[in-house]
């Protein structure tokens, strides 16, 4: 089932609101109730604690004087009216896909938000991802159960990447009397959430479906960043620092660090910029070659002669076409249908060793570090913990207000409700014709490995985000 188109509201000056569905769109005569936050002491000090119905957030901040106002999203937050009585709320939470720092924090804050803000107490955790709806037991979630879970890595609910049966999931939701579904996961999970919403709508059920986007790679479009990304970058620096220490302690030593990033190199790029100890960063978006003039081997030899050591950071999806040619690998897939990649870190380490073994005058040492599972399994840092809290509370406010079929996310520094189809339409990637990649090249002083014409030919329509959080959608943006 394909994603449904979002509701579009057009205004003056090119204003376009890409709105999210509401329960009243397909259920007549729904009763609305005053928001319990009116009497919540936590909100009594807030000057204007209900979000105005006309509040929106622009997708693009930088515009020209004659350009249209562009696409907007509905601003997240509490509304004056809710469509669920606290005693009637029966919510469930599910986590899907790979591990990511912050999963437990999001779970905790959904439970605490429902309870402390709205007085809802019936909350279930779905064990083991989507299939847990119909193949495993549920876990009752209370504020006491989740009190300390944010201090742990992973997810207390378990997760999986298996293909799911949408009809069985909705049958289970209906049989249990669940009326709010909170789904935490990446783009594949959000596509599944969209299918669940579509089936719920087809059956005319009063069930709000809210997504919280999760990907450690930061490859979900529209939003400023995904939770867990800051933690991953911070932890990646530890591996880079270890490689730098090892490399600097031996003559002609090369430290190679493989970081996460199957199709995008955000973790590798930001960790490289943050550490400032990296001599070369290789990402999926920027092709490279090994042999010959201007190739990686020539650059390594140059840096070793200059400094006596170097550090290479490589994203797991970088150079896969070279690995496939070298190993004659066949296309294999995991349980979710994702392509299984060869270990580019081990491959490039061996290639470097083989190349310099032929050069009698330059013996090298090479240290290879793969911190992938160490990074994925740690608890989130302070920055991500705050972000997870905002995401979770925004999802709770939206579901209580009757919005459904949406995902929450930070857009230009503001919490928003985004239609599912916008976060599943493509993957966010590093644009190597953008200024952020230029900053990295300037920091490492590495070559781009491709000429200007080749680079621009591969990226005619750049789409990325800058370090300062500005959405970049045009070639002329900053």
């Amino acid at each position: 089932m394909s994603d449904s188109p979002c509701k579009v509201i057009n205004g003056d000056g090119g204003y376009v609101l890409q709105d999210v569905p509401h329960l009243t769109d397909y259920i007549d005569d729904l009763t609305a109730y005053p928001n319990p936050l009116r009497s919540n002491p936590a909100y009594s000090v807030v000057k204007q604690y209900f979000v105005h119905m006309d509040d929106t957030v622009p997708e693009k901040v930088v515009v020209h004087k004659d350009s249209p106002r562009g696409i907007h999203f509905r601003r997240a937050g509490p509304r004056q009216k809710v469509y669920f009585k606290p005693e009637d709320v029966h919510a469930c939470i599910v986590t899907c896909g790979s591990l990511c720092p912050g999963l437990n924090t999001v779970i905790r804050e959904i439970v605490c938000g429902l309870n402390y803000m709205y007085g809802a107490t019936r909350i279930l955790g779905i064990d083991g991802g989507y299939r847990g709806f119909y193949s495993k037991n549920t876990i009752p979630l209370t504020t006491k159960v989740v009190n300390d879970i944010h201090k742990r890595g992973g997810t207390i609910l378990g997760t999986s990447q298996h293909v799911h049966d949408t009809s069985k999931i909705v049958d289970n939701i209906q049989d249990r009397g669940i009326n709010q579904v909170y789904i935490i996961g990446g783009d594949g999970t959000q596509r599944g959430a969209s299918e669940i919403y579509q089936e719920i709508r087809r059956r005319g059920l009063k069930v709000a479906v809210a997504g919280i986007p999760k990907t450690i790679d930061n490859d979900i479009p529209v939003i400023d960043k995904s939770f867990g990304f800051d933690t991953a970058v911070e932890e990646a620096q530890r591996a880079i620092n270890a490689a730098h220490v090892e490399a600097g302690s031996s003559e002609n030593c090369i430290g190679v660090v493989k970081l996460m990033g199957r199709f995008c190199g955000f973790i590798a790029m930001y960790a490289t910029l943050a550490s400032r100890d990296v001599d070369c960063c290789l990402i999926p978006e920027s092709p490279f070659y090994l042999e010959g003039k201007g190739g990686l081997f020539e650059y390594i030899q140059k840096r070793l002669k200059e400094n006596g050591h170097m550090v290479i950071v490589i994203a797991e999806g970088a150079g896969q076409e070279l690995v496939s040619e070298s190993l004659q690998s066949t296309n294999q897939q995991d349980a979710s249908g994702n392509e299984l990649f060869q270990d580019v870190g081990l491959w490039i380490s061996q290639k470097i060793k083989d190349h310099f073994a032929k050069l009698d005058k330059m013996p090298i040492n090479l240290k290879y570090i793969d911190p992938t599972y160490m990074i994925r399994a740690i608890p989130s840092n302070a920055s991500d913990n705050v972000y997870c809290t905002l995401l979770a509370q925004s999802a709770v406010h939206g579901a209580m207000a009757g919005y459904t079929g949406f995902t929450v996310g930070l857009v230009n520094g503001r919490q928003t409700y985004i239609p599912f189809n916008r976060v599943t339409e493509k993957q966010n990637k590093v644009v190597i014709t953008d200024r952020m990649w230029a900053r990295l090249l300037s920091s490492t002083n590495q070559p781009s490995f491709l000429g200007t014409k080749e680079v621009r030919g591969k990226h005619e329509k750049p789409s990325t985000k800058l370090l300062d959080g500005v959405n970049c959608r045009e070639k002329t943006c900053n």
Side-chain angles (χ1 to χ4, degrees):
M1 188 180 296
S2 60
D3 292 329
S4 63
C6 53
K7 295 191 297 183
V8 177
I9 300 172
N10 295 297
D12 296 334
Y15 169 92
V16 179
L17 170 62
Q18 292 189 348
D19 207 356
V20 297
H22 194 274
L23 293 172
T24 55
D25 294 343
Y26 64 93
I27 301 177
D28 297 329
D29 303 322
L30 271 184
T31 303
Y33 311 96
N35 195 320
L37 289 178
R38 292 175 186 272
S39 57
N40 190 309
Y43 277 77
S44 63
V45 296
V46 182
K47 186 176 181 181
Q48 184 178 348
Y49 51 84
F50 292 130
V51 174
H52 194 280
M53 288 301 295
D54 290 335
D55 280 2
T56 62
V57 178
E59 180 179 9
K60 187 169 71 172
V61 170
V62 179
V63 296
H64 301 297
K65 62 180 181 179
D66 299 323
S67 63
R69 291 172 63 188
I71 294 171
H72 288 232
F73 301 107
R74 189 166 292 281
R75 185 182 174 193
R79 266 55 180 179
Q80 290 190 10
K81 299 288 186 180
V82 296
Y83 286 81
F84 297 92
K85 288 183 178 180
E87 60 269 24
D88 294 337
V89 171
H90 191 194
C92 73
I93 306 170
V94 64
T95 55
C96 304
S98 302
L99 295 184
C100 175
L103 282 168
N104 281 332
T105 306
V106 175
I107 294 168
R108 181 190 190 277
E109 295 309 319
I110 291 174
V111 174
C112 292
L114 283 168
N115 191 297
Y116 297 152
M117 293 190 297
Y118 289 98
T121 57
R122 290 196 299 163
I123 308 165
L124 291 176
I126 305 300
D127 185 12
Y130 276 139
R131 285 181 61 184
F133 275 100
Y134 51 85
S135 65
K136 290 191 176 183
N137 294 327
T138 57
I139 304 168
L141 297 176
T142 65
T143 54
K144 185 175 182 180
V145 169
V146 302
N147 186 51
D148 291 326
I149 64 172
H150 62 290
K151 299 175 183 177
R152 307 182 218 165
T155 165
I156 64 163
L157 300 181
T159 184
S160 69
Q161 294 181 312
H162 295 290
V163 177
H164 63 274
D165 187 319
T166 301
S167 182
K168 283 185 179 181
I169 290 173
V170 179
D171 287 344
N172 189 274
I173 290 170
Q174 196 169 0
D175 292 344
R176 292 181 183 272
I178 292 169
N179 51 25
Q180 292 185 10
V181 182
Y182 297 93
I183 300 172
I184 310 167
D187 55 349
T189 301
Q190 300 305 311
R191 275 191 288 271
S194 179
E195 293 173 4
I196 291 169
Y197 156 71
Q198 294 287 354
E199 180 63 17
I200 285 171
R201 179 167 181 158
R202 189 185 67 79
R203 299 187 190 187
L205 305 178
K206 184 187 175 183
V207 179
V209 180
I212 297 92
K214 179 260 341 166
T215 167
I216 203 169
D217 291 346
N218 199 38
D219 59 0
I220 293 179
V222 179
I223 63 175
D224 293 353
K225 64 177 179 180
S226 51
F227 74 83
F229 176 69
D230 281 354
T231 306
V233 171
E234 184 176 301
E235 190 67 15
Q237 287 182 80
R238 300 178 189 275
I240 293 172
N241 183 60
H244 179 64
V245 170
E246 287 283 354
S249 300
S250 302
E251 184 180 4
N252 288 338
C253 189
I254 303 169
V256 177
V257 180
K258 187 186 78 172
L259 297 176
M260 290 152 293
R262 287 172 54 81
F263 300 104
C264 69
F266 284 107
I267 291 178
M269 179 174 71
Y270 277 73
T272 293
L273 279 167
S275 74
R276 307 189 185 281
D277 288 330
V278 178
D279 299 282
C280 185
C281 177
L282 304 172
I283 61 173
E285 297 90 338
S286 182
F288 63 93
Y289 57 98
L290 303 178
E291 307 277 356
K293 185 173 178 58
L296 179 62
F297 292 155
E298 180 185 79
Y299 175 63
I300 293 173
Q301 191 168 346
K302 175 175 175 288
R303 293 298 288 202
L304 290 178
K305 286 181 178 179
E306 291 173 348
N307 298 334
H309 64 273
M310 74 176 299
V311 174
I312 299 172
V313 166
I314 185 166
E316 61 182 314
Q320 285 296 319
E321 69 283 353
L322 299 178
V323 183
S324 297
E325 290 176 9
S326 176
L327 302 181
Q328 298 180 341
S329 59
T330 57
N331 292 330
Q332 295 180 321
Q333 296 180 333
D334 62 17
S336 297
N338 299 314
E339 181 184 354
L340 287 174
F341 284 175
Q342 298 291 332
D343 192 326
V344 70
L346 287 173
W347 174 83
I348 201 167
S349 296
Q350 190 59 51
K351 281 290 185 180
I352 293 170
K353 290 177 182 178
D354 292 344
H355 173 79
F356 282 94
K358 301 173 186 175
L359 304 178
D360 295 334
K361 296 181 180 179
M362 185 174 278
I364 64 161
N365 292 311
L366 190 143
K367 313 294 183 182
Y368 174 54
I369 299 174
D370 180 357
T372 299
Y373 295 107
M374 294 175 64
I375 293 174
R376 282 177 24 166
I378 63 172
S380 53
N381 64 10
S383 173
D384 272 323
N385 268 333
V386 173
Y387 187 29
C388 289
T389 300
L390 299 180
L391 290 171
Q393 291 191 2
S394 294
V396 169
H397 290 315
M400 290 297 297
Y403 292 111
T404 184
F406 70 90
T407 190
V408 294
L410 202 66
V411 177
N412 292 320
R414 296 286 184 178
Q415 291 290 327
T416 61
Y417 298 139
I418 307 167
F420 278 134
N421 67 294
R422 286 303 314 274
V423 298
T424 59
E425 62 188 3
K426 62 180 180 180
Q427 286 182 311
N428 193 31
K429 294 187 176 184
V430 174
V431 177
I432 60 173
T433 55
D434 218 9
R435 293 182 184 176
M436 196 62 188
W437 184 244
R439 290 167 183 148
L440 180 138
L441 296 179
S442 299
S443 176
T444 61
N445 201 30
Q446 71 185 69
S448 66
F449 298 112
L450 287 175
T452 304
K453 291 183 179 179
E454 293 171 289
V455 170
R456 292 198 177 278
K458 290 177 178 292
H459 296 268
E460 292 180 354
K461 296 181 180 180
S463 172
T464 189
K465 297 176 179 62
L466 302 182
L467 191 61
D468 55 11
V470 175
N471 283 335
C472 181
R473 293 284 180 256
E474 304 293 340
K475 288 184 179 180
T476 55
C477 65
N478 289 323

